[in-house]
Amino acid sequence: MPQYFLTLPHNTADEPTMAAMQEMDPAELEALMAAVEKLNNDLVAAQALVHAGGLHPPSTAITVDATGATPTHTRAPFVEASEYVGGFWIINADDEAAAIAWAEQASAAVGSRVEVRALQEEPGN
């Protein structure tokens, strides 16, 4: 079954963290968390959820480059961008249309756009 990567963008102007989420209106935060929990439970019930998670902001990134004689570690994301992936779901879906249907639910739950991309399959599959 194909797998899809659903990503949740964040704007680099504000790097949301768990601590920053505590500054949200408590009722809004509770509604957001309940909507995401429902989505995740629905994905589990449909046996579609592979993994989901939130990412720390780009300011915490370390880029490793071992393509030269000596590996380098740079405390920065590998690309500068106005947006970054803040969270994700990896799901099983019969096809792109099914993945898009899950992304619509994810978008509604988090109140944000969600990008859908298929994971590459092994050659010959």
Side-chain angles (χ1 to χ4, degrees), residues 7-10 103-104 106-115:
T7 55
L8 174 64
H10 286 292
E104 288 173 352
S107 176
V110 298
S112 177
R113 296 171 294 139
V114 171
E115 179 181 311

Side-chain angles (χ1 to χ4, degrees), residues 47-61:
Q47 298 182 336
L49 183 64
V50 175
H51 189 75
L55 299 172
H56 287 281
S59 61
T60 66

Side-chain angles (χ1 to χ4, degrees), residues 18 21-35:
M18 292 307 284
M21 288 179 69
Q22 300 305 315
E23 297 172 10
M24 288 179 66
D25 174 89
E28 287 180 25
L29 179 59
E30 185 176 327
L32 171 70
M33 298 304 279

Side-chain angles (χ1 to χ4, degrees), residues 76-88:
F78 70 90
V79 66
E80 290 189 31
S82 61
E83 293 181 312
Y84 65 96
V85 175
F88 66 93

